[in-house]
Amino acid sequence: MTIPRPPDLWQNLLSLPLLDRAWEKVRSNGGAAGGDGKSVEQFQSGASGRLTRLSADLGDGSWRPLPYRTVDIPKAKGGHRRLRIPSVADRVVHTALSMVLSPVLDSQFEESSFAYRSGRSVKQAVAAISELRDAGYWHVIEADIVGFFDAVRHETLLTKLEAALGGEIAAEPILALVTLILEHQGQESGIMARGLAQGSALSPLLANLYLDELDKEIHGRGVRIIRFADDFVVLCKKRESAEGALEEVEGLLAGLGLELHAGGTRVLDFDRGFAFLGQLFVRSFTLPQANDPEEDLVGLVRQVAEQDLQVAEQSATDERADYDRGERILYLMERGRSLTLRNLSFSVENGEGKELAGIAHRRVDRVELGPGTRADSEAIEHALATDTDLVFVNSQGETLGLLTTSPGDSAELHLAQAAASLDATVSADVARTLVDARIRNQRTQLFRLNRVREDTEVTAALARMQRHLRKLPHLDDVAAIRGIESVCGAEYWPALGLLTDGAAAPFRRQRPAQDPLNAAINYLSAILERDTRAAVLAAGLHPGFGILHRPRNRAEGCVYDLMEPFRAPLTEGQAAFLFNARRLRPEMFTATEMGIRISSSGRRALIAGYEAAVARRINAPGRKIKLAWRPMMKRQAQDLAKALRAGEPDRFTPYLMEA
């Protein structure tokens, strides 16, 4: 009698039939491109050859993961869920790994786990809860793990995987491959040794493995657990048992480097009712609720793909319509990187001289160089010859210096600016208009942020700001007008803090920053200042001749004037959004003797958030057209220049946000 040989996990993974099955699953799921920008359709062209090369690269150890694509998806209950989408090729590898590992691991998982397992479903989990309720398990621990997918310890996970694969043939290369994928995830997220990428086909299986210990240890002795991925409930017959089980759960999770959310974890019963897996359990009833979009990772990735298609179609439409998306900015913020020249194109190189990207000058309008970066003389000369601005910034985002070409012939316009600044009546009219726009946009921003929270203190602050705003039309002195701006600011800043997760209370505006929110606003304001300066210079205005902000040495009053309508949506509101969406986190900010230092990952999040914001289109004042934010800044500068040339500066209309 011949005893069948156990399957070789590694050879099974490398086999073309398995990779082909994995590719078919990726193809049928559809979904967005990863960090390499290649779509499912592009991979499909020549897929057979790609799979053959993939098998060979995995076999000889030369395969390396490609960059992830990071996308934040709004949650139905507020906040955002961060997806890290692998490239299509890497999705094939992750799916193949899941296919190889699932039969081995799934047989070891507890019956109380229902997510991402063949033959198990939400419906079965709901039925299990109903059966336990009918069996007398009336008391329920409703639990919520804080940031589970970001908190998984790689070392602990790999130890569990190694133990689970014990005795399997060729487990070592499988373990090495998973280790490589996890290390790459850490490099991409900026958090080493922790986290699972939501968007990877491998993550759900690894998540089940990580939490299987909880299922094993908590199940029994009058206690039952029902788990669906990182969501679970624990059911008990006695309230005392539930309170004891909660302590045990907290201890088990602490050993895994996890913790329960204080506000989302409590002991309930079926009389009070609780919601779980889109169902409301109340007494003997089980009532369906709206589906939770978080349950469907494949659906979320498809949603991103649909958005990609819409963006591509919109870009083609914009190009045909000569739509201007505004200045294009190249950010060099990683230490050791340099800007050089190759074949009359800008080249970005790493510290070893390897080219990371080549960019023709027509594709970039401004280059921003952060601490520890440099531009060589050839790149500087090419920038001057092609009207490409070079800006040197510090770690707080502040401008250290600007290299730009001569502003051209605008002497008459500069004289008109100076005349308006010196005329008390004209200055008051323009200042009143700018301050009115500033306060109205502050109120609109607070109103938007408070739609969900409905904070009564914020509502009261909005009412007081409105009362102060009514005084503006009766003031004819710039100092008094600025006084109204200050009084409204005293209401605005604490209210903004109340609407920003983790902000100091009461929040106060500070320069230099002494807290993360101020540091974020300062960084975003510095980018906005450079964008506005570019708009001012393009319109032929003198950056130093302001009206609300009086001319003084080494200050750019005109730039500050035109920034006023844009501060609330692009700096203050954007900072609040980034913290609330957890794209900015406290660990990205460190207090030093010189103020707050922002980590490189924090600076990347700020730049990415700002660029995403300014790419959106908004209605232009007095015109039936939509513009992206940078063209809007240019339009505002052009409108001011036109009003000054006509001798009617009071006809300038600043941008107002729509509620």
Side-chain angles (χ1 to χ4, degrees):
M1 174 178 164
T2 303
I3 299 175
R5 184 175 180 270
D8 181 322
L9 297 182
W10 184 245
Q11 291 304 318
N12 188 16
L13 177 72
L14 299 184
S15 69
L16 287 176
L18 183 97
L19 289 174
D20 189 59
R21 282 171 49 213
W23 154 239
E24 281 301 317
K25 190 169 185 179
V26 171
R27 186 187 63 78
S28 62
N29 286 339
D36 63 347
K38 288 186 172 59
S39 66
V40 172
E41 291 75 17
Q42 288 173 307
F43 189 94
Q44 187 168 5
S45 176
S48 179
R50 296 179 194 274
L51 295 177
T52 300
R53 287 193 297 274
L54 197 57
S55 174
D57 290 344
L58 288 168
D60 63 21
S62 63
W63 178 83
R64 292 294 180 272
L66 294 168
Y68 283 83
R69 177 182 176 190
T70 301
V71 180
D72 289 315
I73 302 294
K75 292 183 178 180
K77 298 177 182 178
H80 285 73
R81 183 182 194 182
R82 174 155 291 184
L83 295 185
R84 298 191 189 279
I85 304 174
S87 68
V88 176
D90 289 359
R91 294 213 291 272
V92 172
V93 174
H94 294 194
T95 302
L97 263 173
S98 181
M99 288 177 167
V100 168
L101 291 174
S102 287
V104 178
L105 300 182
D106 194 80
S107 63
Q108 303 177 36
F109 292 159
E110 295 297 299
E111 291 296 311
S112 55
S113 167
F114 289 87
Y116 311 116
R117 299 178 64 185
S118 178
R120 302 177 77 77
S121 64
V122 170
K123 185 177 181 180
Q124 290 176 325
V126 170
I129 292 174
S130 299
E131 289 176 10
L132 289 169
R133 174 197 60 204
D134 296 342
Y137 290 84
W138 197 253
H139 299 276
V140 181
I141 301 171
E142 188 181 49
D144 181 19
I145 301 176
V146 177
F148 169 75
F149 281 91
D150 291 331
V152 170
R153 292 174 178 167
H154 291 174
E155 183 178 358
T156 304
L157 175 62
L158 290 170
T159 300
K160 289 178 177 294
L161 181 59
E162 184 176 16
L165 296 181
E168 296 291 333
I169 297 175
E172 293 82 1
I174 294 286
L175 194 64
L177 180 58
V178 175
T179 302
L180 175 62
I181 291 171
L182 293 178
E183 287 176 350
H184 176 64
Q185 288 180 11
Q187 292 166 358
E188 288 283 305
S189 67
I191 305 174
M192 299 303 295
R194 282 182 181 269
L196 292 175
Q198 296 190 71
S200 164
L202 185 59
S203 293
L205 180 65
L206 296 180
N208 274 338
L209 174 63
Y210 200 77
L211 289 174
D212 188 58
E213 178 183 341
L214 174 67
D215 302 339
K216 284 182 168 67
E217 295 296 327
I218 206 68
H219 207 73
R221 306 184 308 281
V223 178
R224 297 290 185 270
I225 185 171
I226 301 295
R227 183 173 63 79
F228 197 93
D230 60 321
D231 292 327
F232 66 91
V233 290
V234 177
L235 297 97
C236 309
K237 291 188 174 181
K238 299 179 181 178
R239 182 174 180 84
E240 296 78 10
S241 300
E243 291 170 348
L246 178 56
E247 291 184 9
E248 188 176 356
V249 167
E250 289 174 331
L252 287 167
L253 291 177
L256 296 171
L258 305 172
E259 60 178 321
L260 292 176
H261 197 293
T265 302
R266 51 190 176 164
V267 176
L268 302 168
D269 56 39
F270 280 92
D271 285 323
R272 291 180 61 185
F274 64 96
F276 185 60
L277 299 181
Q279 305 289 321
L280 181 63
F281 297 89
V282 182
R283 296 185 179 177
S284 60
F285 299 101
T286 302
L287 308 173
Q289 292 183 310
N291 289 334
D292 185 350
E294 291 192 64
E295 292 178 16
D296 184 13
L297 276 175
V298 171
L300 289 177
V301 178
R302 283 178 182 155
Q303 177 184 331
V304 175
E306 291 170 2
Q307 292 171 353
D308 285 349
L309 180 59
Q310 292 170 4
V311 169
E313 291 173 347
Q314 183 64 55
S315 296
T317 302
D318 292 342
E319 188 172 345
R320 290 192 297 270
D322 293 327
Y323 167 57
D324 179 12
R325 291 183 175 270
E327 291 206 338
R328 295 147 302 180
I329 316 301
L330 171 62
Y331 295 93
L332 268 71
M333 295 293 156
E334 298 293 330
R335 288 184 177 275
R337 293 193 176 173
S338 58
L339 186 72
T340 63
L341 191 68
R342 290 190 186 185
N343 301 321
L344 295 181
S345 290
F346 292 115
S347 174
V348 179
E349 298 180 352
N350 63 14
E352 299 172 353
K354 180 182 178 181
E355 184 176 54
L356 304 175
I359 305 161
H361 68 80
R362 64 180 178 277
R363 293 176 54 208
V364 62
D365 300 292
R366 188 170 81 234
V367 181
E368 299 202 355
L369 296 108
T373 65
R374 59 179 289 273
D376 68 15
S377 58
E378 287 187 337
I380 292 172
E381 290 173 5
H382 188 62
L384 290 171
T386 57
D387 292 330
T388 306
D389 290 347
L390 294 182
V391 184
F392 299 86
V393 303
N394 63 16
S395 58
Q396 282 74 46
E398 300 165 333
T399 303
L400 299 175
L402 168 67
L403 194 65
T404 188
T405 53
S406 174
D409 300 326
S410 305
E412 289 185 2
L413 178 57
H414 295 172
L415 287 173
Q417 282 182 265
S421 181
L422 293 170
D423 187 309
T425 301
V426 171
S427 292
D429 288 343
V430 176
R432 191 185 305 111
T433 303
L434 288 169
V435 169
D436 178 84
R438 168 66 166 146
I439 296 171
R440 290 183 186 277
N441 287 350
Q442 286 176 326
R443 293 185 75 251
T444 300
Q445 187 61 65
L446 291 179
F447 178 78
R448 288 181 177 181
L449 290 169
N450 200 37
R451 277 175 178 161
V452 176
R453 301 197 185 198
E454 297 182 343
D455 190 294
T456 56
E457 291 185 54
V458 174
T459 303
L462 284 167
R464 291 191 292 269
M465 290 174 72
Q466 181 63 27
R467 288 198 294 271
H468 293 309
L469 190 59
R470 294 195 190 104
K471 301 175 185 177
L472 260 185
H474 309 292
L475 302 178
D476 55 8
D477 176 74
V478 172
I481 291 168
R482 296 201 66 174
I484 292 293
E485 182 181 18
S486 297
V487 170
C488 285
E491 300 287 352
Y492 173 69
W493 296 115
L496 183 70
L498 290 171
L499 298 172
T500 306
D501 293 347
F507 177 70
R508 293 286 184 267
R509 191 73 176 94
Q510 295 172 331
R511 295 185 187 88
Q514 299 299 318
D515 62 84
L517 179 55
N518 267 301
I521 293 173
N522 290 352
Y523 198 98
L524 294 168
S525 296
I527 304 177
L528 174 62
E529 181 181 334
R530 291 189 285 276
D531 280 343
T532 310
R533 181 188 296 111
V536 163
L537 294 175
L541 294 163
H542 192 293
F545 288 147
I547 296 176
L548 175 63
H549 297 84
R550 311 301 293 172
R552 54 190 176 88
N553 293 337
R554 301 182 65 81
E556 296 185 324
C558 183
V559 175
Y560 306 149
D561 283 357
L562 288 175
M563 287 174 65
E564 290 296 301
F566 301 109
R567 288 183 183 274
L570 292 181
T571 67
E572 298 139 13
Q574 185 64 19
F577 165 76
L578 292 172
F579 277 108
N580 294 343
R582 288 195 55 76
R583 298 186 198 178
L584 289 177
R585 299 182 297 278
E587 59 266 25
M588 295 175 172
F589 301 83
T590 305
T592 69
E593 293 181 357
M594 302 298 291
I596 297 292
R597 184 177 67 82
I598 308 175
S599 70
S600 59
S601 60
R603 294 196 296 272
R604 285 196 299 270
L606 285 162
I607 291 169
Y610 183 88
E611 288 299 320
V614 296
R616 301 188 188 101
R617 294 193 290 180
I618 50 176
N619 290 320
R623 297 177 177 87
K624 295 182 179 180
I625 59 171
K626 286 182 176 289
L627 297 173
W629 287 92
R630 285 193 177 107
M632 177 69 78
M633 295 173 203
K634 285 187 175 182
R635 181 63 61 90
Q636 289 272 276
Q638 291 164 359
D639 287 350
L640 178 59
K642 183 178 179 180
L644 287 165
R645 285 193 175 100
E648 299 174 317
D650 56 329
R651 295 186 61 182
F652 170 67
T653 303
Y655 167 73
L656 288 177
M657 297 171 66
E658 297 177 356

